[in-house]
Amino acid sequence: MLFEKPLYEILRPTNFKDFAGHEKIILNLQKPLNLILWGPPGVGKTTLAYILATKWGKPFYQLSAVLSGKKDVKEIIEKIENSGKQSIIFIDEIHAFNKSQQNIFLKHIESGLIILIGATTENPSFEIISPLLSRTKLIVLEKLTFENLGKIFDNALTFLKERGFSIEFYKEFKEHIIMFSNGDARVLLNTFEQVLSLFDSKTIYINKDDFFKSTGKRTIVYDKKYEEHYNLLSAFHKSLRGSDADAALYWAFRMLDAGEEPRSIFRRLIACASEDIGNADPQALIIAVNSWQAFEFLGRPEGDLPLSQAIIYIATAPKSNSVYKALNSVKTEIKRSGYEPVPMHLRNAVNSFMKKLYYGKDYKYPHDYPYAIVDQTYLPETIQNKNFYSPKEVGFEREIKKRIEWIKKRKKTGSNR
């Protein structure tokens, strides 16, 4: 440890000006309120409670629900009663209190003796009793953004330089440590402190090996918001399209190990199943969607297997973009020709008035004909000869092409063959 206290404690903001993120939320906290602060670790729940206590000018008491019980709560409430001053009680991890423990606060909130601020990483609707939820305002704190964490990093760097440190680092260090922290300011500052603790001098140059030593493994880092995120997703999709299962597996698990959201990978997988395979192998879409469901059910690492299975299947499946081209062709035609009226024989005559207007007149019910095929137009008159979908001579599309040709022949000849 560089100092007597952890860096994240030393740098904890004491006012809204230095508090990174949550600007819209801050605007709604100008007057004392009973609050439940819900959000992931390291987003500033405790810091926000401290700042609010200062802003509201109230005495402040703090407990951890993990380490405290009813007795501790009652002792604090007794102190507040004796002081005669409305005070803030901040309960960290309030979801760890059971129903009986949470009930203690109700009458004191009602009387105005205390202002309760509870912090939780768990869903309050499951973990906080309804009477307490109804008496508090729920504030949802999101993960800190890349920019928020960048500001915290810069503040730490300034603080260290003011205390005699001369710090230089490799080009991507700031980006890497921010990505590694994954929205958690405490992890960011702890990791920074761990890197600095590798050096005996205040004159420091941080290289990549120093960073990897401090994180405990050679973590693959990349910016999930900017260019590298899209570069890797693009490489993954193009590997699938190019029928290279090895490359597709590599890019997928490189992203996952770097902290990519699995859904981003599955979205590309499912998109590829339709865009680049389509009806050349209709099973591809089913397998892609099922692999997603299996992954969600199993989680990691077990879910990595169905993901790998789907990647290999889709990469090696026959490729056709005919469905993709058909979709684009239809959209182009709709823009060109506008909204053509539905032919009268395709309209549904739901009452006698519509029948008089010839709605549904001369419609031929396909099941009244052999093979449920009859010579009848289904597109608007102005575009009835348009052909949007043209299957390729690959995979199952060969069969679809034969079916389309057979359907056209039956319409012309009426043959039963």
PDB file of all heavy atoms in Angstrom, residues 389-406:
ATOM      1  N   TYR A 389     -36.797 -13.531 -54.644  1.00  0.00           N
ATOM      2  CA  TYR A 389     -35.946 -14.586 -54.091  1.00  0.00           C
ATOM      3  C   TYR A 389     -35.450 -15.508 -55.192  1.00  0.00           C
ATOM      4  O   TYR A 389     -36.247 -16.105 -55.917  1.00  0.00           O
ATOM      5  CB  TYR A 389     -36.726 -15.383 -53.035  1.00  0.00           C
ATOM      6  CG  TYR A 389     -35.977 -16.569 -52.465  1.00  0.00           C
ATOM      7  CD1 TYR A 389     -34.728 -16.409 -51.867  1.00  0.00           C
ATOM      8  CD2 TYR A 389     -36.516 -17.854 -52.533  1.00  0.00           C
ATOM      9  CE1 TYR A 389     -34.040 -17.489 -51.338  1.00  0.00           C
ATOM     10  CE2 TYR A 389     -35.844 -18.950 -51.999  1.00  0.00           C
ATOM     11  CZ  TYR A 389     -34.601 -18.755 -51.416  1.00  0.00           C
ATOM     12  OH  TYR A 389     -33.913 -19.832 -50.903  1.00  0.00           O
ATOM     13  N   SER A 390     -34.129 -15.629 -55.295  1.00  0.00           N
ATOM     14  CA  SER A 390     -33.513 -16.511 -56.300  1.00  0.00           C
ATOM     15  C   SER A 390     -32.537 -17.447 -55.592  1.00  0.00           C
ATOM     16  O   SER A 390     -31.387 -17.065 -55.302  1.00  0.00           O
ATOM     17  CB  SER A 390     -32.767 -15.687 -57.353  1.00  0.00           C
ATOM     18  OG  SER A 390     -33.650 -14.836 -58.041  1.00  0.00           O
ATOM     19  N   PRO A 391     -32.968 -18.660 -55.266  1.00  0.00           N
ATOM     20  CA  PRO A 391     -32.092 -19.595 -54.552  1.00  0.00           C
ATOM     21  C   PRO A 391     -30.887 -20.004 -55.388  1.00  0.00           C
ATOM     22  O   PRO A 391     -30.959 -20.040 -56.619  1.00  0.00           O
ATOM     23  CB  PRO A 391     -33.004 -20.786 -54.258  1.00  0.00           C
ATOM     24  CG  PRO A 391     -34.090 -20.693 -55.274  1.00  0.00           C
ATOM     25  CD  PRO A 391     -34.287 -19.242 -55.542  1.00  0.00           C
ATOM     26  N   LYS A 392     -29.804 -20.307 -54.690  1.00  0.00           N
ATOM     27  CA  LYS A 392     -28.580 -20.733 -55.367  1.00  0.00           C
ATOM     28  C   LYS A 392     -28.520 -22.261 -55.472  1.00  0.00           C
ATOM     29  O   LYS A 392     -29.270 -22.974 -54.813  1.00  0.00           O
ATOM     30  CB  LYS A 392     -27.356 -20.218 -54.596  1.00  0.00           C
ATOM     31  CG  LYS A 392     -27.209 -18.707 -54.605  1.00  0.00           C
ATOM     32  CD  LYS A 392     -25.948 -18.279 -53.862  1.00  0.00           C
ATOM     33  CE  LYS A 392     -25.754 -16.776 -53.924  1.00  0.00           C
ATOM     34  NZ  LYS A 392     -24.515 -16.346 -53.209  1.00  0.00           N
ATOM     35  N   GLU A 393     -27.596 -22.723 -56.283  1.00  0.00           N
ATOM     36  CA  GLU A 393     -27.389 -24.168 -56.434  1.00  0.00           C
ATOM     37  C   GLU A 393     -26.427 -24.660 -55.350  1.00  0.00           C
ATOM     38  O   GLU A 393     -25.341 -25.166 -55.620  1.00  0.00           O
ATOM     39  CB  GLU A 393     -26.818 -24.468 -57.820  1.00  0.00           C
ATOM     40  CG  GLU A 393     -27.803 -24.311 -58.957  1.00  0.00           C
ATOM     41  CD  GLU A 393     -28.750 -25.499 -59.067  1.00  0.00           C
ATOM     42  OE1 GLU A 393     -28.545 -26.493 -58.333  1.00  0.00           O
ATOM     43  OE2 GLU A 393     -29.693 -25.421 -59.859  1.00  0.00           O
ATOM     44  N   VAL A 394     -26.824 -24.461 -54.083  1.00  0.00           N
ATOM     45  CA  VAL A 394     -25.955 -24.854 -52.976  1.00  0.00           C
ATOM     46  C   VAL A 394     -26.802 -25.317 -51.805  1.00  0.00           C
ATOM     47  O   VAL A 394     -27.862 -24.756 -51.520  1.00  0.00           O
ATOM     48  CB  VAL A 394     -25.048 -23.674 -52.553  1.00  0.00           C
ATOM     49  CG1 VAL A 394     -25.868 -22.496 -52.059  1.00  0.00           C
ATOM     50  CG2 VAL A 394     -24.037 -24.100 -51.505  1.00  0.00           C
ATOM     51  N   GLY A 395     -26.341 -26.370 -51.121  1.00  0.00           N
ATOM     52  CA  GLY A 395     -27.040 -26.852 -49.942  1.00  0.00           C
ATOM     53  C   GLY A 395     -28.510 -27.135 -50.198  1.00  0.00           C
ATOM     54  O   GLY A 395     -28.906 -27.602 -51.280  1.00  0.00           O
ATOM     55  N   PHE A 396     -29.321 -26.855 -49.187  1.00  0.00           N
ATOM     56  CA  PHE A 396     -30.763 -27.137 -49.286  1.00  0.00           C
ATOM     57  C   PHE A 396     -31.452 -26.216 -50.290  1.00  0.00           C
ATOM     58  O   PHE A 396     -32.563 -26.513 -50.746  1.00  0.00           O
ATOM     59  CB  PHE A 396     -31.399 -26.996 -47.898  1.00  0.00           C
ATOM     60  CG  PHE A 396     -32.823 -27.469 -47.856  1.00  0.00           C
ATOM     61  CD1 PHE A 396     -33.124 -28.821 -47.954  1.00  0.00           C
ATOM     62  CD2 PHE A 396     -33.868 -26.564 -47.726  1.00  0.00           C
ATOM     63  CE1 PHE A 396     -34.451 -29.258 -47.931  1.00  0.00           C
ATOM     64  CE2 PHE A 396     -35.187 -26.994 -47.696  1.00  0.00           C
ATOM     65  CZ  PHE A 396     -35.476 -28.344 -47.792  1.00  0.00           C
ATOM     66  N   GLU A 397     -30.797 -25.112 -50.675  1.00  0.00           N
ATOM     67  CA  GLU A 397     -31.414 -24.217 -51.663  1.00  0.00           C
ATOM     68  C   GLU A 397     -31.571 -24.897 -53.015  1.00  0.00           C
ATOM     69  O   GLU A 397     -32.420 -24.483 -53.810  1.00  0.00           O
ATOM     70  CB  GLU A 397     -30.613 -22.921 -51.797  1.00  0.00           C
ATOM     71  CG  GLU A 397     -30.896 -21.949 -50.667  1.00  0.00           C
ATOM     72  CD  GLU A 397     -30.583 -20.501 -51.001  1.00  0.00           C
ATOM     73  OE1 GLU A 397     -29.658 -20.244 -51.801  1.00  0.00           O
ATOM     74  OE2 GLU A 397     -31.269 -19.621 -50.445  1.00  0.00           O
ATOM     75  N   ARG A 398     -30.775 -25.933 -53.284  1.00  0.00           N
ATOM     76  CA  ARG A 398     -30.997 -26.708 -54.506  1.00  0.00           C
ATOM     77  C   ARG A 398     -32.403 -27.280 -54.522  1.00  0.00           C
ATOM     78  O   ARG A 398     -33.097 -27.241 -55.545  1.00  0.00           O
ATOM     79  CB  ARG A 398     -29.984 -27.867 -54.590  1.00  0.00           C
ATOM     80  CG  ARG A 398     -28.558 -27.471 -54.861  1.00  0.00           C
ATOM     81  CD  ARG A 398     -27.756 -28.702 -55.285  1.00  0.00           C
ATOM     82  NE  ARG A 398     -26.334 -28.426 -55.266  1.00  0.00           N
ATOM     83  CZ  ARG A 398     -25.506 -28.758 -54.288  1.00  0.00           C
ATOM     84  NH1 ARG A 398     -25.994 -29.372 -53.210  1.00  0.00           N
ATOM     85  NH2 ARG A 398     -24.233 -28.477 -54.345  1.00  0.00           N
ATOM     86  N   GLU A 399     -32.814 -27.838 -53.352  1.00  0.00           N
ATOM     87  CA  GLU A 399     -34.158 -28.415 -53.250  1.00  0.00           C
ATOM     88  C   GLU A 399     -35.229 -27.332 -53.355  1.00  0.00           C
ATOM     89  O   GLU A 399     -36.273 -27.534 -53.983  1.00  0.00           O
ATOM     90  CB  GLU A 399     -34.304 -29.175 -51.926  1.00  0.00           C
ATOM     91  CG  GLU A 399     -33.389 -30.363 -51.783  1.00  0.00           C
ATOM     92  CD  GLU A 399     -33.640 -31.394 -52.876  1.00  0.00           C
ATOM     93  OE1 GLU A 399     -34.821 -31.658 -53.185  1.00  0.00           O
ATOM     94  OE2 GLU A 399     -32.655 -31.914 -53.434  1.00  0.00           O
ATOM     95  N   ILE A 400     -34.977 -26.201 -52.717  1.00  0.00           N
ATOM     96  CA  ILE A 400     -35.951 -25.102 -52.780  1.00  0.00           C
ATOM     97  C   ILE A 400     -36.110 -24.620 -54.225  1.00  0.00           C
ATOM     98  O   ILE A 400     -37.222 -24.332 -54.677  1.00  0.00           O
ATOM     99  CB  ILE A 400     -35.508 -23.950 -51.862  1.00  0.00           C
ATOM    100  CG1 ILE A 400     -35.566 -24.383 -50.391  1.00  0.00           C
ATOM    101  CG2 ILE A 400     -36.374 -22.707 -52.083  1.00  0.00           C
ATOM    102  CD1 ILE A 400     -35.060 -23.361 -49.409  1.00  0.00           C
ATOM    103  N   LYS A 401     -34.986 -24.534 -54.935  1.00  0.00           N
ATOM    104  CA  LYS A 401     -35.044 -24.107 -56.336  1.00  0.00           C
ATOM    105  C   LYS A 401     -35.878 -25.080 -57.160  1.00  0.00           C
ATOM    106  O   LYS A 401     -36.696 -24.664 -57.998  1.00  0.00           O
ATOM    107  CB  LYS A 401     -33.625 -24.010 -56.898  1.00  0.00           C
ATOM    108  CG  LYS A 401     -33.561 -23.376 -58.270  1.00  0.00           C
ATOM    109  CD  LYS A 401     -32.125 -23.128 -58.695  1.00  0.00           C
ATOM    110  CE  LYS A 401     -32.100 -22.389 -60.035  1.00  0.00           C
ATOM    111  NZ  LYS A 401     -30.714 -22.102 -60.465  1.00  0.00           N
ATOM    112  N   LYS A 402     -35.690 -26.382 -56.923  1.00  0.00           N
ATOM    113  CA  LYS A 402     -36.495 -27.400 -57.633  1.00  0.00           C
ATOM    114  C   LYS A 402     -37.980 -27.219 -57.296  1.00  0.00           C
ATOM    115  O   LYS A 402     -38.848 -27.341 -58.176  1.00  0.00           O
ATOM    116  CB  LYS A 402     -36.037 -28.796 -57.234  1.00  0.00           C
ATOM    117  CG  LYS A 402     -34.669 -29.190 -57.777  1.00  0.00           C
ATOM    118  CD  LYS A 402     -34.295 -30.575 -57.285  1.00  0.00           C
ATOM    119  CE  LYS A 402     -32.882 -30.954 -57.708  1.00  0.00           C
ATOM    120  NZ  LYS A 402     -32.485 -32.278 -57.181  1.00  0.00           N
ATOM    121  N   ARG A 403     -38.289 -26.955 -56.021  1.00  0.00           N
ATOM    122  CA  ARG A 403     -39.691 -26.766 -55.611  1.00  0.00           C
ATOM    123  C   ARG A 403     -40.309 -25.573 -56.320  1.00  0.00           C
ATOM    124  O   ARG A 403     -41.450 -25.643 -56.819  1.00  0.00           O
ATOM    125  CB  ARG A 403     -39.767 -26.542 -54.088  1.00  0.00           C
ATOM    126  CG  ARG A 403     -39.440 -27.746 -53.249  1.00  0.00           C
ATOM    127  CD  ARG A 403     -39.605 -27.408 -51.769  1.00  0.00           C
ATOM    128  NE  ARG A 403     -39.107 -28.465 -50.917  1.00  0.00           N
ATOM    129  CZ  ARG A 403     -39.142 -28.417 -49.588  1.00  0.00           C
ATOM    130  NH1 ARG A 403     -39.656 -27.350 -48.986  1.00  0.00           N
ATOM    131  NH2 ARG A 403     -38.671 -29.415 -48.869  1.00  0.00           N
ATOM    132  N   ILE A 404     -39.570 -24.464 -56.361  1.00  0.00           N
ATOM    133  CA  ILE A 404     -40.084 -23.250 -57.011  1.00  0.00           C
ATOM    134  C   ILE A 404     -40.355 -23.508 -58.494  1.00  0.00           C
ATOM    135  O   ILE A 404     -41.398 -23.107 -59.033  1.00  0.00           O
ATOM    136  CB  ILE A 404     -39.098 -22.086 -56.827  1.00  0.00           C
ATOM    137  CG1 ILE A 404     -39.076 -21.646 -55.353  1.00  0.00           C
ATOM    138  CG2 ILE A 404     -39.480 -20.899 -57.716  1.00  0.00           C
ATOM    139  CD1 ILE A 404     -38.025 -20.611 -55.022  1.00  0.00           C
ATOM    140  N   GLU A 405     -39.421 -24.203 -59.143  1.00  0.00           N
ATOM    141  CA  GLU A 405     -39.600 -24.513 -60.569  1.00  0.00           C
ATOM    142  C   GLU A 405     -40.793 -25.429 -60.787  1.00  0.00           C
ATOM    143  O   GLU A 405     -41.566 -25.259 -61.742  1.00  0.00           O
ATOM    144  CB  GLU A 405     -38.322 -25.153 -61.121  1.00  0.00           C
ATOM    145  CG  GLU A 405     -37.161 -24.157 -61.226  1.00  0.00           C
ATOM    146  CD  GLU A 405     -35.844 -24.825 -61.554  1.00  0.00           C
ATOM    147  OE1 GLU A 405     -35.801 -26.086 -61.554  1.00  0.00           O
ATOM    148  OE2 GLU A 405     -34.849 -24.104 -61.768  1.00  0.00           O
ATOM    149  N   TRP A 406     -40.967 -26.398 -59.865  1.00  0.00           N
ATOM    150  CA  TRP A 406     -42.101 -27.316 -59.980  1.00  0.00           C
ATOM    151  C   TRP A 406     -43.430 -26.586 -59.763  1.00  0.00           C
ATOM    152  O   TRP A 406     -44.410 -26.822 -60.466  1.00  0.00           O
ATOM    153  CB  TRP A 406     -41.933 -28.440 -58.956  1.00  0.00           C
ATOM    154  CG  TRP A 406     -43.043 -29.446 -58.968  1.00  0.00           C
ATOM    155  CD1 TRP A 406     -43.209 -30.490 -59.820  1.00  0.00           C
ATOM    156  CD2 TRP A 406     -44.154 -29.482 -58.068  1.00  0.00           C
ATOM    157  NE1 TRP A 406     -44.347 -31.181 -59.525  1.00  0.00           N
ATOM    158  CE2 TRP A 406     -44.953 -30.578 -58.446  1.00  0.00           C
ATOM    159  CE3 TRP A 406     -44.552 -28.696 -56.983  1.00  0.00           C
ATOM    160  CZ2 TRP A 406     -46.128 -30.919 -57.775  1.00  0.00           C
ATOM    161  CZ3 TRP A 406     -45.711 -29.034 -56.322  1.00  0.00           C
ATOM    162  CH2 TRP A 406     -46.489 -30.130 -56.705  1.00  0.00           C
TER     163      TRP A 406
END
